[in-house]
Amino acid sequence: MAVDLSPIDESLLAEIANIHGMPKGAFNIRRDGKLVERHSSANIEISTKTDVPGIDITIAPGTKGETVYIPVIVTQSGLKDVVYNTFYIGEDCDVTIVAGCGIHNASHQAAEHDGIHTFHLGKNSRMKYVEKHYGEGEGTGERILNPVTTVEMAENSYCEMEMVQLRGVTSTVRDTDAVLQAGAKLVLTEKLLTHDAQQATSNMKIELKGDDSSVQVISRSVAQDDSYQVFNPLVIGEAKCRGHVQCDAIIMGNAKVKAIPGIEAASEDAQLIHEAAIGKIAGDQIVKLMTLGLTEEEAEQEILDDFLN
């Protein structure tokens, strides 16, 4: 990269955002609470907020086929980084936003990043949002991530959100709120793996306010060792709408998983469904893979990879 990034920085960016070298188009890279480098494009303007730490991302109406990268990396122990990012996505857009945070902690002190993201999605627009969280480092200090995501969806807009956290984060509390107007559709997929004594809580509140709005929430998680997970989604139907919440979790060792899917109907035309399943890996699945030449550990890992992907 043209900017001064260490091998650790580059490795984190590759892990959380699949960035190898400087991205093309619009991007904003943040490290240890400070801007590393930024670039706007003809249709996407990124500007610094004047009242709180963070940025405004304004995407012009009709913008299609462009990707915005806004990754954050933290390598400074003892840092608590809070950033407020607001996205204004015009009408008739079709864009992808790649976020995520990677923490490398080599100390006994905690390192924390809290990303507060607000999306205003215009009429008839489509957005794919990808957010990956990752932690590493030989230090004993905690790696903490507490994201807050708010989505305001205008008529006939479409939003696909993929939120991934598969290793290394000591503690996380994720809050996700969305309000959907008529014809809007939200597909929210969450993939989570916790191990050791890690803790993860996911709170969601989805309000279906317009006719023919819909949401599909899919959570797939694996809890290993002594980790603890809480999945707490709530879908509120206030019009002729459809909502489906699905939680599937694999539990291993002494881990604990709590799933509290909730639905509220405030209209006789609301169609809402929730389901949750928690269990261990079936023994016959492991045996079957072992007959193909895999060890028990390899068979177990193959099952987990397939489940999360």
Side-chain angles (χ1 to χ4, degrees), residues 128-181:
K128 181 176 182 180
Y129 177 69
V130 181
E131 180 183 271
K132 184 175 182 181
H133 287 165
Y134 171 74
E136 64 174 29
E138 64 277 12
T140 58
E142 292 184 321
R143 297 175 289 273
I144 303 169
L145 291 164
N146 294 323
V148 177
T149 305
T150 302
V151 188
E152 300 281 348
M153 299 182 62
E155 289 86 347
N156 299 314
S157 59
Y158 175 86
C159 178
E160 179 181 346
M161 310 192 85
E162 182 176 325
M163 298 169 171
V164 180
Q165 179 178 304
L166 295 185
R167 189 155 294 278
V169 178
T170 309
S171 172
T172 185
V173 177
R174 179 189 295 279
D175 291 316
T176 305
D177 295 332
V179 177
L180 283 67
Q181 302 301 331

Side-chain angles (χ1 to χ4, degrees), residues 255-268:
K256 295 181 180 179
V257 177
K258 180 186 292 186
I260 319 167
I263 52 177
E264 292 184 8
S267 168
E268 63 180 3

Side-chain angles (χ1 to χ4, degrees), residues 18-73:
N18 198 28
I19 291 177
H20 304 274
M22 197 60 62
K24 295 181 179 179
F27 66 86
N28 188 94
I29 298 176
R30 180 181 177 91
R31 176 184 59 193
D32 294 334
K34 299 178 181 179
L35 175 67
V36 173
E37 187 153 332
R38 172 187 301 161
H39 189 268
S40 296
S41 68
N43 298 316
I44 302 173
E45 180 183 357
I46 304 176
S47 58
T48 301
K49 286 183 177 293
T50 57
D51 52 345
V52 292
I55 54 177
D56 290 324
I57 301 94
T58 303
I59 301 178
T63 300
K64 291 181 169 59
E66 294 197 39
T67 299
V68 187
Y69 294 89
I70 56 162
V72 172
I73 54 177

Side-chain angles (χ1 to χ4, degrees), residues 3-18:
V3 295
D4 182 20
L5 291 177
S6 71
I8 289 176
D9 296 336
E10 294 181 354
S11 176
L12 288 174
L13 288 172
E15 181 70 37
I16 64 172
N18 198 28

Side-chain angles (χ1 to χ4, degrees), residues 216-236:
Q216 182 178 17
V217 177
I218 303 169
S219 174
R220 288 184 174 268
S221 70
V222 176
Q224 299 176 324
D225 306 321
D226 295 304
S227 63
Y228 178 63
Q229 298 179 7
V230 178
F231 180 59
N232 186 28
L234 173 62
V235 173
I236 302 173

